[in-house]
């Protein structure tokens, strides 16, 4: 009798970073040394536990012909149509028992095999290394039957020396990947848990005398305009930069006149490091980062970060991103005026940093570290305060710094995210400060700033941020001396975030406030055949955090959300303000380094939203911070009355690397005169006739006062007061914000189930008056609502008067009327557009004439919610009706009711009906970002107070 020996898997739960891998070194995309990509199709076998299969699969000659196949880079749970398990999403809860360093026996383990041929002309001299750029979460590696070692640190590069193991012809690479390991306790980063080899696997020839590790030091002296270059290398060689006539030995400094690198002016010099065995291209950016006068300064100037947090994500491939997807991210950021990115919460694929160097983005490079789940036990047993884990923490810090140290875009090293505090973090900070004193160290959790060079916070409310700007925040003396950033703010989940402009006003007002990073870049929806995009819980997870993973400025397909359009407007690098009646434009350069010579300015004049004349505008090439007043031409006279306004735009004067000539960078709008309000005399009187009342072009039900038709247009449901909106993610609020979750307060009060009681229908001499009371069941509060209809024979005016009754302790979601149309498709309006806007998200809403379909008005949030309102509308035409407002109003139109929208969990739950439901709103409650941050500021509350508003209806047929 024989017994199968269970292979040892003790390394899975070992707190060490692993064994066998080479020391970390600088990453570079290419050199003249040979390389072989091992990406592609790999054989794959999935086991339920870490030790259920022996190691024989790694031996040469093993027959894996009946194994499945997966693509590398990739995650096995996103391949195989569910045959290989499913993704798991948690925000901070560990999806396994918190018993460090142990993980469950049920530990999905993927054996990967790749048989590759070594090219016949592969160099025989020197050695070779096998590089893994990212494997989640623990990997054990063999080549040609010989074990190389194992490693943890999912988003970090690991290399193994393999020169003596390579054979001519066929070679067998075997990798065993475990989903859970001790390293999982360090990677609790508010994301999908996705095991697999998800970044590149590459075989690199290392020629004799080839470049090893090297460190490019390229500083800039803003007082002299000179840069100093020194390249430290562990292999002696020479460095040349032809454009600067530099040719020096490694380790030797040289000072020359240069153009500096900044995010606004990302000047890179092409150079080369030459050793006896290798030529490595360099892209060198000269810049100096210091903490001076309590400010973060680059090249002698304080910078203002207008940033975003970026998880790596693709809706089909997870964190396995290709170069073009990374480039798309950077280009979208640049085109929307962002100047900074925090690589939450791990170092990105190194090619992304190359793109940040090339196009110009400040970078906070963050370590692959988060232990957020230990908050559930008050940080007891937290690895960052346990000396046993410190070697793993230092390994992660070193692998980040050594890999990425030659990128000029990186101005901060971040120790990680939401890992509490402890001795391990202090050790990391001390090592980083010692290894690279030319950059600053960041960590949000260190509020006392013992280990960091900046006071960083998440989701501090506006009033606290202002106190910090005024240096009234208290704290340690060291903290009070440091600059402040919000490494996360303005939670971009669903409809929102609101309050961006209010934050930006503070950042620009107080020098100490050096900007912030929106959370976050992209919705992490997983493409799903039935749901459109799936989120937490859609894969049957026993623990999950729902759609909290969909909190980005772009949708999963990278379409910009209204939140990104708003952010672009709020952080414009040029402020354009005007005095319309006097024809004066005030232009301010809000950049830190660049003048305005790259921009061209143009003006246009609109009458009732239509451009009647336009031209160029001469604006000086203002230096950073400078302003100028520019005179507009006299307003054109075309004989028409109506509302007049100026629009001034700042555009790219020429093509750039990130956008084409004519790309709009900034704009401003200002009125020339007041808008004429719609009015007419009430000359017609209501005429009762066999159960109907006729008033001008309209017919009403005589018993209920319900509007039935206007001209030939049938009204599917009469206009009546509506105060409910399908709560947004921000309305519903974060679960820990128990006091002011407006969606919950609204539902508790019953605003989603208001009842309408008809009091009277009064046909007077010049008006039809319908009196009602609108109130929720089980409550004393109500809204006395009067609808007064008048007409001049062709047009119909509805005046709505609302008087609250009782003690209204919560704001209203919305206030307006809702009605139904039997037929509507095309929509045209004069007002704000082209996208949605709400009271605290409306800076990007440009007044003009806009067109859309009803379906095109909808914003495709991954979880359906209130969306699509157009603001400041003067008039709208749809379904044969023209509706004018007094005053301006919001309108929405959709093919489902608000109640159906509220009930839907995915967009595929929404089914178009026969009626188009139209809301004409006098008011909307603000949006805020309370899904994780602050709710709406008080000035954006929609209070329950007396109100009166009017709409004028006419037909367009």
């Amino acid at each position: 009798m024989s017994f199968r020996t269970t292979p040892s898997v003790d390394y899975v739960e070992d707190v060490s970073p692993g064994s066998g891998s080479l020391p970390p070194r600088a990453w570079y995309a290419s050199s003249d040394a040979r390389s072989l990509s091992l990406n592609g199709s790999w054989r794959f076998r999935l086991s339920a536990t870490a030790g259920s299969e022996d190691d024989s699969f790694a031996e040469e000659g093993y027959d894996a012909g009946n194994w499945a196949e997966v693509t590398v880079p990739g995650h096995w749970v996103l391949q195989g149509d569910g045959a290989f398990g499913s993704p798991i999403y948690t925000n901070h809860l560990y999806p396994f028992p918190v018993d460090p360093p142990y993980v469950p026996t049920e530990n999905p383990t993927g054996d990967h095999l790749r048989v590759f041929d070594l090219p016949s002309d592969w160099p025989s001299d020197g050695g070779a290394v096998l590089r893994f750029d990212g494997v989640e979460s623990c990997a054990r590696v063999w080549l040609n039957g010989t074990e190389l070692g194992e490693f943890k640190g999912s988003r970090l590069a690991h290399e193994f020396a393999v020169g003596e193991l390579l054979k001519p012809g066929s070679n067998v690479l075997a990798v065993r990947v475990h989903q859970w390991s001790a390293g999982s306790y360090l990677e609790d980063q508010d994301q999908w848990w996705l095991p697999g080899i998800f970044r590149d696997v590459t075989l690199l020839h290392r020629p004799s005398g080839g470049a090893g590790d090297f460190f490019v030091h390229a500083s800039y002296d803003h007082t002299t305009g000179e840069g100093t270059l020194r390249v430290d290398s562990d292999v002696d060689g020479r460095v040349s930069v032809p454009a600067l006539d530099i040719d020096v030995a490694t380790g030797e400094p040289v000072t020359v006149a240069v153009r500096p690198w900044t995010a606004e002016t990302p000047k890179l010099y092409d150079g080369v490091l030459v050793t006896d065995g290798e030529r490595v291209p360099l892209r060198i950016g000269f810049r100096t980062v210091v903490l001076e006068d309590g400010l973060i300064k680059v090249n002698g100037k304080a910078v203002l970060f207008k940033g975003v947090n970026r998880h790596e994500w693709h809706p089909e491939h997870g964190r396995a991103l290709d170069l073009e997807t990374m480039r798309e991210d950077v280009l979208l950021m640049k085109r929307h005026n962002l100047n900074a990115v925090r690589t939450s919460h791990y170092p990105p694929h190194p090619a992304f940093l190359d793109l940040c160097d090339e196009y110009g983005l400040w970078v906070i490079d963050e370590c692959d570290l988060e232990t957020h789940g230990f908050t559930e036990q008050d940080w007891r047993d937290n690895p960052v305060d346990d000396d046993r884990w410190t070697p793993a923490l230092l390994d992660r810090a070193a692998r980040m710094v050594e890999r990425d140290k030659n990128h000029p875009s990186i101005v901060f090293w971040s120790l990680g995210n939401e890992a509490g505090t402890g001795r391990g973090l202090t050790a990391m900070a001390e090592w980083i400060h010692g290894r690279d004193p030319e950059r600053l160290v960041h960590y949000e959790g260190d509020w006392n700033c013992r280990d960091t060079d900046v006071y960083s916070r998440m989701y501090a409310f506006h009033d606290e941020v202002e106190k910090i700007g005024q240096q009234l925040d208290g704290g340690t003396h060291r903290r009070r001396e440091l600059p402040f950033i919000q490494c996360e703010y303005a939670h971009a989940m669903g409809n929102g975030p609101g309050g961006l402009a209010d934050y930006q006003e503070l950042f620009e007002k107080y020098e100490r406030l050096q900007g912030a990073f929106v959370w976050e870049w992209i919705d992490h929806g997983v493409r799903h055949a039935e749901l459109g995009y799936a989120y937490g819980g859609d894969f049957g997870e026993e623990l999950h955090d729902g759609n909290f993973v969909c909190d980005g400025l772009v949708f999963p397909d990278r379409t910009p959300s209204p939140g990104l359009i708003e952010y672009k407007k709020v952080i414009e690098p040029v402020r354009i303000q005007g005095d319309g009646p006097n024809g004066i434009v005030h232009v301010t350069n809000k950049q830190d380094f660049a003048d305005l010579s790259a921009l061209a300015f143009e003006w246009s004049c609109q009458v009732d939203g239509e451009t009647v004349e336009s031209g160029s505008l001469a604006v000086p090439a203002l230096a950073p911070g400078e302003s100028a007043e520019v005179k507009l031409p006299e307003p054109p006279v075309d004989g028409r009355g109506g509302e007049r306004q100026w629009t001034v735009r700042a555009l790219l004067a020429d093509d750039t690397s990130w956008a084409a000539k004519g790309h709009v960078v900034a704009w401003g709008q200002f009125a020339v005169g007041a808008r004429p309000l719609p009015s007419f005399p009430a000359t017609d009187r209501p005429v009762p006739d066999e159960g109907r009342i006729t008033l001008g072009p309209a017919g009403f039900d005589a018993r209920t006062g319900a509007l039935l038709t206007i001209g030939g247009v049938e009204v599917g449901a009469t206009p009546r007061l509506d105060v409910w909106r399908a709560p947004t993610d921000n309305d519903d609020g974060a679960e820990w914000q128990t006091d002011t979750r407006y969606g919950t307060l609204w539902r508790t009060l019953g605003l989603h189930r208001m009842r309408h009681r008809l009091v009277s229908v009064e046909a007077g001499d010049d008006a039809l008056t319908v009196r009602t009371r609108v109130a929720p069941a089980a409550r004393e509060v109500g809204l006395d609502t009067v609808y007064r209809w008048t007409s001049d024979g062709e047009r119909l005016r509805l005046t709505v008067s609302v008087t609250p009754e009782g003690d209204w302790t919560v704001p209203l979601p919305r206030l307006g009327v809702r009605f139904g149309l039997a037929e509507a498709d095309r929509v045209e309006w004069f007002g704000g557009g082209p996208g949605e806007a709400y009271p605290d998200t409306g800076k990007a809403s440009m007044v003009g004439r806009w067109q859309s379909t009803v379906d095109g008005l909808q914003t495709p949030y991954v979880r359906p919610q209130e969306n699509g309102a157009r603001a400041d509308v003067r008039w709208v035409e749809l379904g044969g009706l023209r509706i004018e407002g007094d005053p301006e109003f919001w309108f929405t139109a959709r093919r489902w009711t608000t109640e159906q929208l509220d009930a839907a969990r995915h967009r595929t739950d929404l089914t178009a009906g026969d009626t188009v439901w139209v809301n004409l709103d006098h008011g909307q409650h603000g949006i805020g970002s309370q899904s994780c941050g602050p709710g709406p500021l008080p000035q954006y509350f929609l209070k329950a107070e007396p109100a009166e508003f009017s709409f004028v209806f006419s037909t367009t047929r």
Side-chain angles (χ1 to χ4, degrees):
M1 180 180 294
S2 62
F3 294 93
R4 179 179 178 274
T5 300
T6 301
S8 172
V9 292
D10 291 346
Y11 64 90
V12 173
E13 296 175 330
D14 191 334
V15 299
S16 74
S19 64
S21 58
L22 295 169
R25 65 187 179 109
W27 187 92
Y28 48 93
S30 64
S31 76
D32 63 351
R34 289 289 299 275
S35 66
L36 178 66
S37 172
L38 299 180
N39 296 344
S41 180
W42 291 49
R43 290 291 183 176
F44 177 76
R45 176 182 65 188
L46 182 64
S47 304
T49 66
S52 59
E53 298 287 349
D54 62 24
D55 304 340
S56 61
F57 82 104
E59 298 173 1
E60 296 179 84
Y62 183 88
D63 183 7
N66 63 343
W67 287 21
E69 294 187 16
V70 294
T71 298
V72 171
H75 306 277
W76 70 67
V77 294
L78 296 181
Q79 303 182 57
D81 294 327
F84 306 142
S86 300
I88 299 170
Y89 168 61
T90 59
N91 169 28
H92 75 280
L93 296 174
Y94 289 106
F96 48 80
V98 181
D99 184 22
Y102 304 110
V103 294
T105 301
E106 296 83 1
N107 187 357
T109 295
D111 290 334
H112 298 69
L113 271 180
R114 174 77 153 87
V115 178
F116 65 94
D117 288 334
L118 194 69
S120 59
D121 58 348
W122 187 266
S124 58
D125 67 314
V129 300
L130 179 66
R131 184 175 70 213
F132 294 87
D133 283 315
V135 183
E136 183 176 332
S137 73
C138 173
R140 188 179 177 194
V141 186
W142 296 261
L143 181 63
N144 292 329
T146 298
E147 183 174 352
L148 304 180
E150 79 284 339
F151 63 88
K152 307 177 189 75
S154 299
R155 268 65 69 174
L156 300 163
H158 295 81
E159 292 183 332
F160 296 92
V162 297
E164 295 182 356
L165 298 175
L166 289 173
K167 302 188 306 182
S170 179
N171 291 262
V172 178
L173 175 59
V175 185
R176 173 163 284 168
V177 180
H178 308 283
Q179 175 157 20
W180 310 122
S181 70
S184 301
Y185 285 99
L186 305 180
E187 297 173 3
D188 185 24
Q189 293 144 320
D190 184 10
Q191 60 184 340
W192 293 99
W193 300 87
L194 299 172
I197 305 172
F198 67 94
R199 286 186 186 158
D200 306 287
V201 182
T202 313
L203 182 68
L204 300 165
H205 176 233
R206 302 312 305 138
S208 177
D213 190 23
F214 58 91
F215 197 161
V216 177
H217 302 270
S219 61
Y220 178 72
D221 187 335
H222 65 279
T223 62
T224 65
E226 293 178 321
T228 298
L229 175 67
R230 187 186 82 247
V231 178
D232 295 334
S233 174
D234 59 6
V235 176
D236 290 342
R238 295 194 69 82
V239 176
S240 63
V241 185
L244 297 175
D245 292 327
I246 289 176
D247 186 357
V248 296
T250 54
E252 180 180 332
V254 58
T255 299
V256 295
V258 298
R259 290 167 54 195
W261 189 98
T262 74
E264 296 166 9
T265 56
K267 174 61 180 177
L268 293 173
Y269 290 92
D270 290 323
V272 62
L273 167 64
V274 181
T275 66
D276 286 345
E278 189 173 12
R279 295 174 60 89
V280 180
L282 305 176
R283 303 210 76 191
I284 302 166
F286 291 86
R287 58 105 186 93
T288 296
V289 184
V290 297
L291 185 64
E292 183 179 82
D293 303 323
L295 298 173
I296 305 158
K297 292 185 179 180
V298 180
N299 302 338
K301 293 187 176 182
V303 295
L304 183 62
F305 297 112
K306 304 168 184 177
V308 68
N309 288 270
R310 175 186 176 268
H311 266 300
E312 294 180 307
W313 187 251
H314 187 282
E316 295 172 359
H317 309 304
R319 286 187 286 278
L321 298 190
D322 60 88
L323 179 61
E324 288 313 304
T325 299
M326 292 184 257
R327 189 185 307 275
E328 184 179 358
D329 279 346
V330 172
L331 292 177
L332 279 169
M333 290 176 188
K334 293 291 290 186
R335 290 168 185 166
H336 289 86
N337 294 331
L338 279 77
N339 71 0
V341 60
R342 175 180 177 228
T343 69
S344 52
H345 296 296
Y346 41 82
H349 191 292
F352 178 78
L353 299 173
D354 285 342
L355 296 168
C356 293
D357 294 342
E358 177 182 353
Y359 292 103
L361 289 169
W362 308 115
V363 174
I364 297 179
D365 195 5
E366 191 144 272
C367 194
D368 190 9
L369 173 63
E370 180 169 336
T371 63
H372 199 173
F374 284 89
T375 58
E376 296 298 310
Q377 53 199 64
D378 296 324
W379 298 107
R380 187 175 61 256
D381 297 327
N382 185 9
V384 305
D385 201 28
D386 184 333
D387 291 339
R388 294 175 302 167
W389 294 81
T390 299
L393 303 184
L394 289 172
D395 181 76
R396 288 171 183 249
R399 290 188 181 278
M400 170 183 68
V401 171
E402 302 295 4
R403 191 197 75 167
D404 296 343
K405 58 183 176 280
N406 294 326
H407 291 283
S409 56
I410 297 172
V411 292
F412 271 101
W413 301 116
S414 179
L415 303 181
N417 183 70
E418 292 178 316
T421 57
R423 292 163 288 175
L425 290 168
T426 298
M428 293 170 69
E430 290 175 349
W431 184 90
I432 293 173
H433 275 121
R435 177 58 175 146
D436 184 18
E438 297 169 357
R439 291 183 176 91
L440 305 179
V441 172
H442 166 273
Y443 177 64
E444 177 271 338
D446 181 15
W447 283 19
N448 289 325
C449 302
R450 180 182 63 178
D451 300 321
T452 57
D453 299 310
V454 63
Y455 176 30
S456 176
R457 290 283 301 280
M458 295 179 182
Y459 308 108
F461 288 17
H462 296 77
D463 56 351
E464 185 183 6
V465 170
E466 180 154 33
K467 289 179 181 178
I468 293 170
Q470 297 168 334
Q471 297 187 314
L472 300 176
D473 57 300
T476 62
H477 179 70
R478 171 171 167 76
R479 186 177 95 179
R480 295 196 304 274
E481 290 182 325
L482 293 179
F484 175 81
I485 63 171
Q486 288 229 70
C487 67
E488 294 179 23
Y489 87 126
H491 199 248
M493 185 176 177
N495 187 334
L500 283 169
D502 307 275
Y503 271 122
Q504 194 64 25
E505 183 179 342
L506 296 173
F507 300 153
E508 295 178 9
K509 181 178 181 180
Y510 298 104
E511 187 179 49
R512 186 190 183 193
L513 307 180
Q514 291 198 250
F517 296 75
V518 168
W519 184 269
E520 65 156 306
W521 176 242
I522 189 169
D523 285 344
H524 298 193
V526 177
R527 188 98 63 190
H528 193 284
E530 298 176 0
L531 303 176
Y533 290 109
Y535 49 76
D538 288 333
F539 297 99
E541 305 101 301
E542 63 181 7
L543 288 176
H544 67 85
D545 286 285
N547 69 311
F548 201 69
V549 76
C550 294
D551 47 11
L553 291 172
V554 297
F555 298 126
D557 64 358
R558 285 179 161 74
T559 299
S561 76
L564 181 57
I565 305 303
E566 176 78 356
Y567 196 30
K568 175 187 178 181
K569 175 62 180 168
V570 167
I571 60 174
E572 286 175 336
V574 184
R575 179 185 290 119
I576 301 172
Q577 298 172 309
D579 180 348
N582 293 319
I584 300 295
V585 180
H586 190 82
V587 179
T588 302
N589 182 358
K590 295 164 60 181
Q591 298 178 106
D592 297 322
F593 298 93
D595 64 23
L596 298 188
S597 59
L599 302 179
F601 290 78
E602 66 177 24
W603 62 268
S604 60
C605 184
Q606 290 82 38
V607 176
D608 287 340
E610 292 187 323
T611 297
V612 296
E613 195 168 338
S614 62
S616 60
L617 187 66
V619 175
L622 300 170
E626 286 188 344
S627 299
E629 287 190 347
V630 182
K631 187 74 170 67
L632 289 164
E634 291 298 318
V637 178
D638 65 351
R640 288 190 288 176
E643 183 178 356
R644 292 172 176 262
Q645 66 185 18
W646 294 104
T647 302
V648 175
R649 294 177 173 87
L651 317 138
L652 288 180
D654 296 293
D655 291 346
T656 69
S657 62
W658 49 271
K661 176 182 179 179
H663 169 79
V664 178
V665 173
W667 58 270
Q669 252 186 355
F670 22 95
V672 176
R675 169 201 173 207
L677 296 175
S679 63
F680 58 81
T683 56
D684 265 31
R685 61 176 300 169
V687 179
D689 182 19
E690 297 183 355
R692 290 173 63 98
I693 296 175
T694 300
L695 177 60
F700 297 82
D701 183 292
R703 183 180 61 85
T704 64
L707 177 66
L708 303 174
T709 61
I710 302 177
V713 178
E714 290 189 18
V715 178
T718 189
R720 66 177 189 172
L721 193 74
D722 190 15
V723 298
W724 180 244
R725 72 184 187 197
T728 67
D729 291 315
N730 289 306
D731 290 338
D732 283 338
E735 61 182 13
W736 56 87
Q737 295 171 322
T738 57
D739 295 334
T740 55
R741 297 172 67 187
Y742 296 102
T744 300
L745 294 174
W746 294 337
R747 289 186 196 277
T748 300
L749 185 59
L751 300 188
H752 61 305
R753 48 178 174 77
M754 300 290 274
R755 296 292 180 259
H756 298 250
R757 176 169 63 85
L758 180 63
V759 176
S760 65
V761 178
E762 305 166 6
D765 290 339
D766 61 353
L768 174 65
T769 302
V770 180
R771 302 183 186 277
T772 68
R773 188 174 190 273
V774 183
R779 304 292 176 183
E780 290 184 319
V781 297
L783 300 168
D784 279 351
T785 306
V786 178
Y787 309 92
R788 188 172 188 271
W789 298 93
T790 58
S791 177
D792 66 351
E794 295 182 356
R795 293 168 290 181
L796 184 71
R797 185 182 190 97
L798 167 63
T799 299
V800 182
S801 301
V802 181
T803 304
E805 287 186 339
D807 184 14
W808 285 85
T809 59
V810 299
L812 298 173
R814 72 180 339 137
L815 181 67
V817 296
R818 176 170 64 166
F819 67 99
L821 291 174
E823 180 182 339
D825 184 25
R826 299 295 305 178
V827 185
E828 183 175 356
W829 73 98
F830 172 30
E836 72 182 28
Y838 291 82
D840 54 350
T841 68
K843 295 298 183 183
S845 182
M846 178 183 285
V847 174
R849 291 274 290 269
W850 308 102
Q851 293 183 353
S852 176
T853 63
V854 169
D855 293 338
L857 293 173
Q858 315 311 308
T859 304
Y861 295 115
V862 175
R863 185 190 75 82
Q865 56 198 270
E866 166 61 33
N867 74 90
R870 270 54 180 182
D872 302 314
V873 176
R874 283 75 164 152
W875 55 258
V876 59
E877 293 182 355
L878 76 167
L881 291 180
R882 178 184 175 96
I883 306 164
E884 299 174 78
D886 179 8
E888 293 82 11
F889 60 98
W890 281 269
F891 92 87
T892 60
R894 51 178 67 106
R895 300 186 187 279
W896 36 79
T897 65
T898 300
E899 291 72 24
Q900 290 169 326
L901 184 63
D902 187 13
R905 302 274 68 84
H906 297 86
R907 286 188 54 79
T908 51
D909 295 334
L910 294 169
T911 302
D914 296 331
T915 301
V916 171
W917 295 94
V918 181
N919 278 87
L920 310 175
D921 290 317
H922 176 64
Q924 283 267 359
H925 187 61
I927 297 295
S929 64
Q930 201 174 11
S931 52
C932 195
L937 290 169
Q939 59 264 37
Y940 304 118
F941 282 24
L942 179 58
K943 297 178 181 179
E945 55 190 14
E948 184 173 285
F949 47 94
S950 297
F951 303 102
V952 174
F953 297 83
S954 57
T955 59
T956 59
R957 295 173 178 172

